[in-house]
Amino acid sequence: MSAEKSSTSFRDRQERLRALMEARRVPLIVVTHLINVRYLTGFTGSAGMVILGPSQGILWVDPRYTLQAREQAQGVEVLEEKKGILKAAAVWLGKNGVREAAFEAANLSVAQFDLLRQEAGAGVSLKPAGELIEELRVVKDREEIEAIRSAGKVTAEVFAELLPHIHPGATENDLAAEIEYRMRNKGAEGAAFETIVVSGPRSAYPHARPSTKALQESESVIFDLGAIVDGYAADMTRTVFLGEPGRRQRNLYSAVLKAQAGAIRAAQDSAPAGKVDSAARRILAKHGLARYFTHSTGHGVGLEIHERPRLGKGETTCLRSGSVITVEPGVYLEGFGGIRIEDTVLVGPDGPEILTPAPKDNWIIG
Amino acid sequence: MSAEKSSTSFRDRQERLRALMEARRVPLIVVTHLINVRYLTGFTGSAGMVILGPSQGILWVDPRYTLQAREQAQGVEVLEEKKGILKAAAVWLGKNGVREAAFEAANLSVAQFDLLRQEAGAGVSLKPAGELIEELRVVKDREEIEAIRSAGKVTAEVFAELLPHIHPGATENDLAAEIEYRMRNKGAEGAAFETIVVSGPRSAYPHARPSTKALQESESVIFDLGAIVDGYAADMTRTVFLGEPGRRQRNLYSAVLKAQAGAIRAAQDSAPAGKVDSAARRILAKHGLARYFTHSTGHGVGLEIHERPRLGKGETTCLRSGSVITVEPGVYLEGFGGIRIEDTVLVGPDGPEILTPAPKDNWIIG
């Protein structure tokens, strides 16, 4: 399903990182977060680490991945190591006279750090790098956007196909399985997270998991789903109602839908992330629903399902053209049920674009 | 699908941990590995941490999980924290006059450690705990064994159902999707790892992922699959041949099957893990195949797909009654293909028991 990837995008990412490192006075970085290894080199194996310096680029892998790494990795030399890749990289630092190396403090365990320090030797000074690569990843390049667009398309199509299967008697589990099966059949690598299908009073718990509960007449059902294509995730939520909703239900749905539309409109280049959140909150407050909206409005999405930026209260990080985020306000009323509506949204030069194009108005089923 | 869990098993695990802590002179432990949090308390959320001391047992969660934690967690007090659970736990250590706390060095990042140290204050001495809980987890209790047994049963049943779908023209991806769909339909929470279906020359790569390649006549196909039930994984591999295998293919299959049987026989209470590995290797060596067996013979399996013990060369850790391991010798011939046969095996008081009961003799299809 994936288009052939150009090697230039990976080399571009490495050059952008080198420029950022220079600006931050980081001479050399040890990349242990596997997602960042993939982002920089294209290598998709389950173990590997990179050292990147002004003129160095090395990827260490164990023998399971040597062939794969040589095929996939761009812009770096691939070294095979049988007895621990972290140790090998540490020894390399010591032997090559490196004085200062930065590490990913959020993605290196204390045990790994101790090994790194010990094997590199006292001559190498180790410092936290800050989340440099995560910072780069906030702005997606063309290939990344295309991957997320494909993932969003699969996600929306699967939901459209699922609609006829949503009826009283179907269980949450069965529908979740059906969703993930259809994603795979459409060429997705899988689900980006455990698909959520929760119904009735259970929908009042934002993070409930699907159960063997069967859907019933006059219940709302929340579907939260996302496919992975080429390593990139989409994330979408739709809420439907089985039967004829009451007035309260209609009002709640309409308020959440308006809050979502308002928040999406706020997702502009250079807008602080907190502004998207406050747009959703303001509209829900107008409907007297602010206190039922118990989580933040969204998050970045890409190689990881939760990335920067967080779209929460007072968040000052600015969105940029090329950022991809979720916009997902919801209200949760204990004993009654919940409603959440979510899209994956690209912040484009000409405004926001929804990448999960499934309808939101045909929410009444049966 | 899950039977009601008794609260006693979680309290038992906490008491076993307290006894081990006392023996190792660990006064109090900060548990940040989520799998260990689940093992100790039963809490299944995606964020939470525990402090356990001689008379203390606290689980911190954020507001998303308060209700769920209060329902699920056994033997611990549940505290809700909005602004960072690690920080809250660190502050608790400082305020409660704790002098020494052990942490999980393999599951605490350098950034988390710095936060913990800073917020706990200089009065609290932090030391690596060693992998105490991982040690306990090597011997499964009755409920854990039942969960793995259920997962193994689902895994074997799904493979049996899949057999009629295996034919030239079916793609690796489609078969993998079919497997995962059927797992879910049988009540599994999902697949314990990305299902492997690799065929023909691709089967020579032990860690290849399913692709859009269609199966062809006269190819071997490796299926590596495992369901999760109640959080516990099973792990099974079967190799089949499409058409009439040649003599070499038959000899290879027969040698791997014998190696697996010999290794399973060696999986006895009190046997060093390395003995299982050497049993497989010895039999393959007899057939001149030792050098094509390029990985270790297996690993523990439970809440994680790879746990202790590792069944590798010279491993001296002893198996114990209640250990659950995989036994999975294989041979990989570049350009020709691979064969691997794997079961999840319970080390019982009366000898090994296979928990993934799918046949291994009907390997020729069509």
Side-chain angles (χ1 to χ4, degrees):
Chain A
M1 151 133 221
S2 92
E4 198 59 41
K5 274 205 197 122
S6 72
S7 67
T8 51
S9 57
F10 296 108
R11 286 169 204 269
D12 282 353
R13 293 173 198 171
Q14 291 166 23
E15 286 318 307
R16 286 204 292 142
L17 176 58
R18 285 191 173 102
L20 187 60
M21 286 164 65
E22 202 181 335
R24 302 281 169 84
R25 300 182 189 284
V26 171
L28 182 142
I29 187 170
V30 180
V31 184
T32 48
H33 189 20
L34 201 54
I35 290 285
N36 287 343
V37 169
R38 176 175 185 160
Y39 175 76
L40 289 175
T41 69
F43 171 64
T44 63
S46 72
M49 58 175 293
V50 161
I51 283 183
L52 199 88
S55 58
Q56 302 92 344
I58 305 176
L59 165 64
W60 277 271
V61 295
D62 65 56
R64 288 178 301 170
Y65 287 118
T66 310
L67 289 169
Q68 182 181 336
R70 297 214 161 114
E71 273 176 32
Q72 292 182 322
Q74 304 289 337
V76 287
E77 181 186 0
V78 174
L79 295 183
E80 177 184 285
E81 174 57 44
K82 283 196 171 104
K83 312 207 161 186
I85 57 175
L86 182 62
K87 184 177 163 182
V91 167
W92 184 94
L93 291 173
K95 279 198 181 152
N96 284 272
V98 170
R99 295 284 181 82
E100 188 185 323
F103 63 94
E104 297 186 286
N107 287 285
L108 189 76
S109 72
V110 174
Q112 290 174 312
F113 177 78
D114 288 343
L115 178 68
L116 183 61
R117 191 173 48 180
Q118 185 186 321
E119 298 290 335
V124 184
S125 161
L126 296 170
K127 296 187 178 169
E131 303 196 335
L132 297 181
I133 306 172
E134 284 77 2
E135 220 173 288
L136 293 182
R137 284 168 47 202
V138 167
V139 178
K140 269 72 180 172
D141 60 32
R142 196 182 53 76
E143 291 187 5
E144 295 186 282
I145 291 169
E146 285 320 303
I148 302 173
R149 196 188 296 283
S150 299
K153 192 163 168 279
V154 167
T155 304
E157 285 173 6
V158 164
F159 186 70
E161 288 182 9
L162 192 77
L163 284 170
H165 298 267
I166 305 172
H167 51 72
T171 72
E172 296 173 353
N173 264 343
D174 287 350
L175 292 171
E178 192 69 34
I179 286 171
E180 297 186 5
Y181 179 64
R182 286 172 186 268
M183 284 178 185
R184 289 287 288 263
N185 273 352
K186 287 184 175 293
E189 283 134 57
F193 51 90
E194 195 186 334
T195 302
I196 295 175
V197 179
V198 287
S199 57
R202 300 187 75 249
S203 63
Y205 303 111
H207 289 265
R209 299 164 74 174
S211 72
T212 53
K213 179 187 173 298
L215 313 192
Q216 291 174 34
E217 196 68 34
S218 303
E219 277 187 342
S220 59
V221 191
I222 293 181
F223 295 87
D224 192 343
L225 59 150
I228 303 182
V229 173
D230 276 349
Y232 283 80
D235 194 353
M236 181 181 97
T237 304
R238 293 293 182 265
T239 302
V240 304
F241 192 84
L242 297 182
E244 198 50 47
R247 189 166 160 189
R248 190 181 185 197
Q249 197 74 39
R250 284 180 191 275
N251 288 342
L252 289 171
Y253 190 89
S254 153
V256 174
L257 190 57
K258 281 179 195 161
Q260 203 229 7
I264 292 175
R265 273 194 306 274
Q268 302 287 344
D269 188 12
S270 306
K275 218 181 139 184
V276 179
D277 182 73
S278 61
R281 246 167 253 288
R282 201 171 45 241
I283 295 168
L284 287 172
K286 266 192 209 162
H287 293 80
L289 296 171
R291 70 193 169 105
Y292 300 114
F293 178 26
T294 52
H295 52 71
S296 63
T297 297
H299 51 83
V301 61
L303 283 170
E304 291 177 282
I305 184 67
H306 293 110
E307 303 191 345
R308 291 178 171 202
R310 204 180 72 87
L311 278 75
K313 260 184 206 168
E315 195 72 34
T316 55
T317 316
C318 283
L319 301 179
R320 289 176 53 193
S321 180
S323 293
V324 178
I325 57 172
T326 69
V327 179
E328 48 176 313
V331 293
Y332 307 93
L333 287 76
E334 225 180 307
F336 184 76
I339 289 166
R340 180 169 66 253
I341 303 174
E342 172 188 30
D343 285 298
T344 297
V345 173
L346 167 66
V347 181
D350 308 317
E353 179 193 351
I354 291 176
L355 300 183
T356 41
K360 289 173 261 193
D361 46 2
N362 58 350
W363 63 289
I364 299 167
I365 288 184
Chain B
M1 155 132 218
S2 92
E4 198 57 42
K5 267 195 203 137
S6 71
S7 68
T8 50
S9 57
F10 296 108
R11 286 169 202 269
D12 282 354
R13 292 173 199 171
Q14 291 167 23
E15 287 317 307
R16 286 204 291 142
L17 176 58
R18 286 191 172 102
L20 187 59
M21 286 164 65
E22 202 181 334
R24 302 280 169 85
R25 300 184 191 284
V26 172
L28 181 142
I29 187 169
V30 179
V31 183
T32 47
H33 189 19
L34 202 54
I35 290 285
N36 288 343
V37 169
R38 176 175 186 161
Y39 175 77
L40 289 175
T41 69
F43 171 65
T44 62
S46 72
M49 57 175 294
V50 161
I51 283 183
L52 198 87
S55 58
Q56 302 91 342
I58 304 176
L59 165 63
W60 276 271
V61 294
D62 65 55
R64 289 178 299 170
Y65 287 119
T66 311
L67 289 168
Q68 182 182 337
R70 296 214 163 116
E71 273 176 32
Q72 292 182 322
Q74 304 289 337
V76 287
E77 181 187 359
V78 174
L79 295 182
E80 178 184 284
E81 174 57 43
K82 283 195 172 105
K83 313 206 162 189
I85 57 175
L86 182 62
K87 183 176 164 184
V91 168
W92 184 93
L93 290 173
K95 278 199 181 153
N96 284 271
V98 170
R99 296 285 182 80
E100 188 185 323
F103 63 93
E104 297 185 286
N107 288 285
L108 189 76
S109 72
V110 174
Q112 290 175 313
F113 177 77
D114 288 343
L115 178 69
L116 184 62
R117 191 173 47 180
Q118 186 187 319
E119 297 290 336
V124 184
S125 160
L126 296 170
K127 297 189 177 167
E131 303 195 334
L132 297 181
I133 306 172
E134 284 76 3
E135 220 173 287
L136 293 181
R137 284 168 47 201
V138 168
V139 178
K140 269 75 179 169
D141 61 32
R142 195 183 52 77
E143 290 185 6
E144 295 185 283
I145 292 168
E146 285 321 302
I148 303 172
R149 195 187 298 282
S150 300
K153 192 164 168 279
V154 167
T155 305
E157 285 173 5
V158 164
F159 186 71
E161 288 181 9
L162 191 77
L163 284 170
H165 299 265
I166 305 172
H167 51 72
T171 73
E172 296 173 352
N173 264 344
D174 287 350
L175 291 171
E178 191 69 34
I179 285 171
E180 296 186 5
Y181 179 65
R182 286 172 184 268
M183 283 178 185
R184 289 287 290 262
N185 272 353
K186 288 184 175 293
E189 282 134 54
F193 51 90
E194 195 186 335
T195 302
I196 296 175
V197 179
V198 288
S199 57
R202 300 186 76 248
S203 63
Y205 302 111
H207 290 266
R209 298 164 75 175
S211 72
T212 52
K213 178 187 174 299
L215 313 192
Q216 292 174 34
E217 195 69 34
S218 302
E219 278 187 343
S220 58
V221 191
I222 293 181
F223 295 86
D224 192 343
L225 59 149
I228 303 182
V229 173
D230 276 350
Y232 283 81
D235 193 354
M236 180 182 97
T237 305
R238 293 292 182 268
T239 303
V240 304
F241 193 84
L242 298 182
E244 197 51 48
R247 188 165 160 189
R248 190 181 185 200
Q249 197 73 40
R250 285 179 188 276
N251 288 342
L252 288 171
Y253 189 91
S254 152
V256 174
L257 190 58
K258 281 179 195 159
Q260 202 229 7
I264 291 175
R265 272 194 306 274
Q268 300 287 343
D269 187 13
S270 306
K275 218 181 139 184
V276 179
D277 182 74
S278 61
R281 247 167 253 286
R282 201 170 47 241
I283 296 167
L284 288 172
K286 266 193 209 160
H287 294 80
L289 297 171
R291 71 194 169 103
Y292 301 114
F293 178 26
T294 51
H295 52 71
S296 62
T297 297
H299 51 83
V301 61
L303 283 170
E304 292 177 281
I305 185 66
H306 293 111
E307 304 191 342
R308 293 181 170 196
R310 204 179 71 87
L311 278 74
K313 260 183 205 167
E315 195 70 34
T316 55
T317 316
C318 283
L319 301 178
R320 289 176 53 194
S321 179
S323 294
V324 178
I325 57 172
T326 70
V327 179
E328 48 177 312
V331 293
Y332 308 92
L333 287 76
E334 224 178 308
F336 184 77
I339 289 166
R340 179 168 67 253
I341 302 174
E342 173 188 31
D343 284 298
T344 297
V345 174
L346 167 66
V347 180
D350 308 317
E353 178 193 352
I354 290 176
L355 301 183
T356 40
K360 291 171 259 192
D361 45 3
N362 58 348
W363 63 290
I364 300 167
I365 288 185

